Amino acid sequence: MINSITFSILAIILIASAVLIVIKKNIFHASLILMLFLFTMAGMYIHLKAELAATLQVLAYVGGVTTFILFVVMLTNRLTDKSIDRFNKQRLLSLGTIICLFLSFLIPICLSLPLNQHPVNFNEEIMDAGRLMLGNYILSFELISIILTVSIIGAIILVKKEESQ
């Protein structure tokens, strides 16, 4: 009973925050709502007993991507320009396209799911993934962190040049 209530609350928050991200006029507020959406997804992973996925969700997406988006939004002066068109003129066409795409993905997935499936123990796969990330692919992760740091420094330098002119 509690599991279904928790799932329902998380699902309502997910749907509401996804809708708010799309319809929000202020991009900074939309970025903050994106952070709520990603945290709620982590909660959904915890509810599904996938703690590693929840941890990676919080570390990678909430911690890294959302922070990067907020930096870009705050450092870009062009977003406050009134000449930028913030509204889509083809709302009905885009809504119909989204509904068709959603159903085209959802229906085959629902039809292919087995009805009585027991949870699988993924401890060995998680250990192998951790060994790979901290072994063979450590250079890739370090290079990505350097690229993100350099891009943030570059954005700061560009904004400083615009302010001084």
Side-chain angles (χ1 to χ4, degrees):
M1 178 70 177
I2 292 177
N3 284 338
S4 62
I5 293 171
T6 306
F7 180 82
S8 299
I9 291 171
L10 289 172
I12 289 169
I13 293 171
L14 277 174
I15 293 170
S17 60
V19 169
L20 282 174
I21 289 169
V22 173
I23 65 172
K24 209 66 168 147
K25 293 178 186 176
N26 189 330
I27 195 163
F28 181 75
H29 293 151
S31 299
L32 292 177
I33 296 169
L34 175 67
M35 191 178 293
L36 170 69
F37 178 85
L38 294 172
F39 266 123
T40 309
M41 278 301 300
M44 193 66 88
Y45 289 140
I46 290 172
H47 178 73
L48 295 172
K49 305 218 182 328
E51 291 84 8
L52 178 68
T55 304
L56 292 175
Q57 175 82 14
V58 171
L59 290 176
Y61 290 110
V62 177
V65 173
T66 309
T67 305
F68 186 69
I69 289 172
L70 288 174
F71 267 113
V72 170
V73 167
M74 289 189 301
L75 293 176
T76 305
N77 292 333
R78 190 172 186 282
L79 293 174
T80 59
D81 189 10
K82 298 294 181 198
S83 66
I84 297 175
D85 189 19
R86 292 182 177 92
F87 299 102
N88 186 355
K89 304 286 190 243
Q90 301 171 345
R91 290 181 181 163
L92 290 177
L93 178 64
S94 59
L95 179 65
T97 304
I98 288 171
I99 289 172
C100 289
L101 284 173
F102 179 73
L103 291 176
S104 68
F105 286 118
L106 182 68
I107 291 171
I109 289 171
C110 289
L111 293 176
S112 67
L113 290 175
L115 296 178
N116 293 325
Q117 185 176 7
H118 298 288
V120 180
N121 188 0
F122 289 109
N123 286 337
E124 283 301 315
E125 288 84 2
I126 293 171
M127 298 285 279
D128 292 338
R131 284 187 198 103
L132 281 174
M133 283 193 301
L134 296 176
N136 296 349
Y137 299 108
I138 190 73
L139 182 62
S140 303
F141 288 110
E142 293 299 326
L143 289 175
I144 289 171
S145 66
I146 290 171
I147 290 171
L148 286 173
T149 305
V150 167
S151 62
I152 290 174
I153 291 171
I156 292 171
I157 290 171
L158 287 174
V159 169
K160 291 292 182 183
K161 285 183 182 177
E162 288 177 6
E163 287 177 358
S164 65
Q165 293 175 355

